[in-house]
Amino acid sequence: MTTGTVYLVGAGPGSVDLLTLKACRLIGEADVIVHDYLVAPEIIALARPDAERVFVGKKGGGFCCPQRDIEGTLIRLAQEGKRVVRLKGGDPFIFGRGGEEAEALAEASIAFEIVPGVTSALAAAAYAGVPLTHRTHASAVVFLTGHEDPLKPDSTLHWESYGRLGATLCIYMGMKNLGTISQRLQDGGMSAETPVAVVQSATTGDHRQLLSTVGRVALESEHAGFGAPAIVVIGEVASLAGKLSWFETAVSAGVREWSVAP
Ligand code: SAH
């Protein structure tokens, strides 16, 4: 029996029509789909009816298959000769642990391919009307995780330095620690009036966004009930959502379908 191939596929931020053509084709051809909670059911529904579906996800610190077990499952399925699609929300190499899974496959001499997906920071910004770079406002963009406890002494992120960078900051998994993060950015010199856009469930029917400032965002987003999954975009460009916010406006006016099935 020949060994199968594992495709580490980015499923994009949620909306089916932001899937790449390659992802769509591979999902339709797969013998097995291994996925987590961020992948929309409409996307998993593109798999063959007889394809095996394996859920390995977790939500907000709930049940989760240990990473080692996920890697072991991918290797075992490929060794059984299967064509495996490992589907991940957004892009597999942006806070998706795709790197670890690819390393494990390489070590086990399993053939693999990586299929990029639209990462949620790009999608959230585009749908909220925030150009991440702009000739007048920002020449650099940083992707950060807010998941690490910002108070732990060995935290790898020095938030004060990012407060001085003048770049657009896109924070993944930042809702729980938003109070500490925004305080540390200000301690580093960022103005409390710096605009912030919080975009929850971007591109889906549950899309919500909030425009605030670094000084107020923690309180305001808590009061408005914002939570994961959300991207926090910090920088002068965030204020442009005030006039470029096309998606929320169109959805609330009921003039546009939020998602178009392929
Ligand atoms: N690999 C993914 C990120 C996984 S980490 C990617 O490239 O997008 C999980 C985090 O991604 C969430 O906590 C949230 O910060 C962000 N996220 C994923 N989907 C999102 C969505 N539709 N809207 C806003 N944020 C999202």
Side-chain angles (χ1 to χ4, degrees), residues 1 28 34 37-38 54 67 70 74 95 110 117 120-121 135 138 141 149 157 163 192 199 215 234 243 247-248 257:
M1 185 170 56
V34 180
Y37 85 97
L38 276 174
V54 182
Q67 188 61 27
I70 298 175
L74 297 176
F95 303 125
I110 304 287
S120 45
R135 274 176 73 91
V141 186
D149 179 352
L157 289 175
V199 192
I234 304 182
K243 58 177 171 186
F247 186 64
E248 193 181 51
E257 291 285 316

Side-chain angles (χ1 to χ4, degrees), residues 11-262:
S15 176
V16 192
D17 49 356
L18 289 171
L19 208 57
T20 64
L21 288 176
K22 184 167 183 180
C24 193
R25 176 174 61 78
L26 290 170
I27 294 167
E29 292 172 356
D31 299 312
V32 193
I33 306 280
V34 180
H35 67 95
D36 51 43
Y37 85 97
L38 276 174
V39 180
E42 295 89 335
I43 290 176
I44 294 160
L46 298 172
R48 292 194 330 245
D50 64 323
E52 191 184 332
R53 289 145 169 86
V54 182
F55 177 73
V56 291
K58 67 163 175 179
K59 187 168 181 177
F63 165 79
C64 169
C65 291
Q67 188 61 27
R68 277 283 190 80
D69 291 0
I70 298 175
E71 290 157 15
T73 302
L74 297 176
I75 292 168
R76 177 179 54 76
L77 290 166
Q79 284 169 343
E80 288 170 6
K82 303 217 168 101
R83 180 181 271 258
V84 184
V85 163
R86 167 69 170 120
L87 260 184
K88 287 170 173 290
D91 180 88
F93 275 3
I94 303 283
F95 303 125
R97 304 192 74 169
E100 289 153 80
E101 290 172 23
E103 281 180 274
L105 294 167
E107 272 160 34
S109 301
I110 304 287
F112 65 88
E113 287 188 25
I114 319 287
V115 182
V118 177
T119 191
S120 45
L122 301 189
Y127 275 55
V130 178
L132 292 179
T133 69
H134 189 289
R135 274 176 73 91
T136 321
H137 305 293
S139 305
V141 186
V142 185
F143 291 168
L144 302 138
T145 171
H147 180 63
E148 274 191 355
D149 179 352
L151 294 176
K152 80 174 180 190
D154 58 343
S155 169
T156 48
L157 289 175
H158 191 251
W159 289 98
E160 290 79 2
S161 312
Y162 291 104
R164 289 189 282 273
L165 214 53
T168 304
L169 307 181
C170 298
I171 306 173
Y172 291 70
M173 298 171 276
M175 296 311 284
K176 218 177 80 201
N177 295 323
L178 197 51
T180 321
I181 290 170
S182 50
Q183 187 52 54
R184 285 189 60 184
L185 292 169
Q186 292 174 78
D187 293 346
M190 185 178 273
S191 157
E193 292 309 311
T194 306
V196 180
V198 181
V199 192
Q200 182 180 326
S201 300
T203 79
T204 76
D206 299 323
H207 177 109
R208 298 172 71 201
Q209 63 191 69
L210 172 90
L211 193 51
S212 181
T213 64
V214 170
R216 295 193 300 270
V217 68
L219 253 160
E220 288 185 359
S221 60
E222 196 187 328
H223 282 163
F226 275 71
I231 291 284
V232 181
V233 185
I234 304 182
E236 290 307 320
V237 288
S239 67
L240 289 168
K243 58 177 171 186
L244 303 182
S245 155
W246 61 275
F247 186 64
E248 193 181 51
T249 312
V251 167
S252 56
V255 294
R256 193 180 179 281
E257 291 285 316
W258 67 270
S259 175
V260 183

